Amino acid sequence: TQLLEQSPQFLSIQEGENLTVYCNSSSVFSSLQWYRQEPGEGPVLLVTVVTGGEVKKLKRLTFQFGDARKDSSLHITAAQPGDTGLYLCAFGGATNKLIFGTGTLLAVQP
Amino acid sequence: NAGVMQNPRHLVRRRGQEARLRCSPVKGHSHVYWYRQLPEEGLKFMVYLQKENIIDESGMPKERFSAEFPKEGPSILRIQQVVRGDSAAYFCASSPPRQGVFYEQYFGPGTRLTVT
């Protein structure tokens, strides 16, 4: 059973387009994190959301935590080739371990 | 500030050999985590260690895998008698002591293990 389902699984778009990826669960989380992983590298933390309904912006990236704290979304405006990578949501389980979602692989074509 | 360092970056082993993966955490971080990334399974937790202690090894296979984080030196993930199914990317992460609800972990670049 996968606790965090991400959609879509794959996404290929042209430079300049907007996109949204989703992270859904039936469980309630105290916090949720988003990571980006580039090919051949480890995941890099983008943001942590804590409060239901919270919206955080990081340049062209907008993160939202659902009101019920069961889901989250990541919206990218005017995507660039540098946004290419694997986007992972994650929550902190017992003993600090991170439980990752299934991931969304994004390719932005120039 | 140096981030998490892992070596080697790439490791090739024949079936039956041993693989040793090393991880040096961010300076001042006393918590180390190991994760494995398989193409069809995503990124999965393996083990969580503090200095000289294993805190949570619920994600470790029961046989052939072991991990340590000694008082001095890097954390080591050891895989004995490797099989083809062990081929994967292994990531180490470190964090300072937990604060509030945040679990901010900093990941290394990974070791890509290939078993031939």
Side-chain angles (χ1 to χ4, degrees), chain A residues 36-44 82-86, chain B residues 112:
Chain A
R36 179 170 65 211
Q37 184 180 15
E38 297 184 11
E41 298 297 330
V44 175
D83 296 327
T84 292
L86 179 66
Chain B
R112 272 121 192 109

Side-chain angles (χ1 to χ4, degrees), chain A residues 11-27:
Chain A
L11 190 55
S12 180
I13 61 171
Q14 295 295 123
E15 183 175 1
E17 292 184 19
N18 301 332
L19 67 115
T20 303
V21 299
Y22 300 92
C23 174
N24 293 296
S25 176
S26 57
S27 301

Side-chain angles (χ1 to χ4, degrees), chain A:
Chain A
T1 303
Q2 187 60 255
L3 289 176
L4 286 174
E5 293 285 345
Q6 291 186 241
S7 61
Q9 191 175 358
F10 303 101
L11 190 55
S12 180
I13 61 171
Q14 295 295 123
E15 183 175 1
E17 292 184 19
N18 301 332
L19 67 115
T20 303
V21 299
Y22 300 92
C23 174
N24 293 296
S25 176
S26 57
S27 301
V28 176
F29 303 112
S30 57
S31 66
L32 206 76
Q33 298 181 335
W34 283 93
Y35 289 80
R36 179 170 65 211
Q37 184 180 15
E38 297 184 11
E41 298 297 330
V44 175
L45 179 65
L46 297 174
V47 78
T48 300
V49 287
V50 178
T51 306
E54 181 178 5
V55 176
K56 282 192 173 179
K57 292 196 173 188
L58 187 66
K59 297 184 181 177
R60 294 176 294 99
L61 277 60
T62 302
F63 303 85
Q64 186 161 9
F65 201 13
D67 290 340
R69 292 185 289 130
K70 291 183 178 181
D71 53 84
S72 182
S73 64
L74 158 59
H75 181 80
I76 302 179
T77 304
Q80 299 177 1
D83 296 327
T84 292
L86 179 66
Y87 288 81
L88 296 160
C89 61
F91 73 93
T95 68
N96 286 7
K97 64 188 175 192
L98 285 171
I99 311 298
F100 285 91
T102 49
T104 293
L105 187 59
L106 172 65
V108 182
Q109 312 296 336

Side-chain angles (χ1 to χ4, degrees), chain B residues 21-75:
Chain B
L21 287 62
R22 294 174 185 77
C23 168
S24 296
V26 173
K27 188 175 180 180
H29 285 188
S30 56
H31 299 221
V32 166
Y33 315 79
W34 286 92
Y35 296 84
R36 177 166 66 175
Q37 191 168 37
L38 291 161
E40 301 304 319
E41 293 185 12
L43 195 56
K44 302 287 188 189
F45 167 80
M46 298 181 75
V47 63
Y48 164 36
L49 310 105
Q50 295 178 18
K51 288 280 187 181
E52 299 183 285
N53 282 306
I54 297 175
I55 307 302
D56 181 354
E57 56 182 348
S58 58
M60 287 276 271
K62 293 289 184 274
E63 298 176 347
R64 303 188 296 107
F65 284 72
S66 62
E68 63 177 9
F69 188 17
K71 188 176 180 181
E72 303 289 338
S75 175

